[in-house]
Amino acid sequence: MAEKFTIYSSAESQWVGVMLLALEEKGLKANVDYDVKEISLSTGENFAPEYIAINPNGTVPSLTAPSLAKPLTESADILRWIDSRGTKTLVPQDEARSKEILDLMHSPSMSTNLILFQARDPVEMESKKKSGWNAFLEGRQTRLDKELAAHPEHSFYISKAAENLAITSLYRAEVGSEHKDLYKLTDEMYRTMASGLDKLESLIALPFAAGSRVSEADYNTIPWLSHAMMGANTPVTAVQDFGPLEKLIQKTVPDFKIGPKTKEWWSNVAKTEAFKKVFPVLH
């Protein structure tokens, strides 16, 4: 019998989707094949010392198993480990293409935090301040401040508290001139994101991302696009509606459109059983 393992998951985590898609692909069952520990990102449970001992980056997901010398903390590595249980089914046909896709989707320049937390002008900033993302940032900051007070020499808490405060402080402040640098940076980052989505369009092979079958290239891209669409205020049940995301990016890049290959690919992956189980709604 294969060893039972533990996953650290969160409904609030974008990249947990990679792991969940892989678990569905392999037909593995919670409480039978693996145990689940839920981590609340909005209250900063991922910053607890006990979790930092498992994942020094404070990110979710993570995976532990008796046979592993140390926990797995990167979603792509977790997918490959899960896929190694039995016959591998998620190895891409075109590994070079798949690597380019994974590198793109996981690059800092494509972070969906841009959509969730940043603003290009006072109107967007006021809207963000009234949104649930304000409470999310405050919840994280409260936990980070608590842990920093308890562990004042811990390099993780020093750097992470300062990083989170850089954006939280702008949410706390009255909208004014001090936000101008954020607006400029955000506009530049939307241009980069538009270019990244154009690159994704050029990389997709069809019918799936890296060939004729579903692979890790698909399962590392689906969670990104779903999260971006959700962040753009797409109705969560409108899984095929790219309009809100396009409109959001068009404010910076007026002629931007999600490409036809990307749309066809999305339609194809949305028909798979794993997608239907993990992404019945955008999240």
Side-chain angles (χ1 to χ4, degrees), residues 22 53 85 111 144 202 241 264 274 276:
R85 293 169 66 92
S111 172
L144 284 165
S202 72
D241 184 5
E264 183 177 345
K276 292 175 185 177

Side-chain angles (χ1 to χ4, degrees), residues 47-105:
F47 301 137
E50 298 80 10
Y51 187 69
I52 295 299
I54 294 167
N55 186 328
N57 299 318
T59 55
V60 182
S62 299
L63 183 150
T64 59
S67 64
L68 288 169
K70 61 180 182 179
L72 299 177
T73 59
E74 297 293 337
S75 56
D77 294 335
I78 292 171
L79 176 146
R80 289 166 186 162
W81 188 86
I82 292 170
D83 192 36
S84 71
R85 293 169 66 92
T87 302
K88 291 184 179 181
T89 59
L90 294 173
V91 177
Q93 290 170 299
D94 187 335
E95 294 194 13
R97 183 187 300 271
S98 179
K99 183 179 184 306
E100 280 198 77
I101 291 173
L102 264 66
D103 287 348
L104 173 65
M105 304 321 295

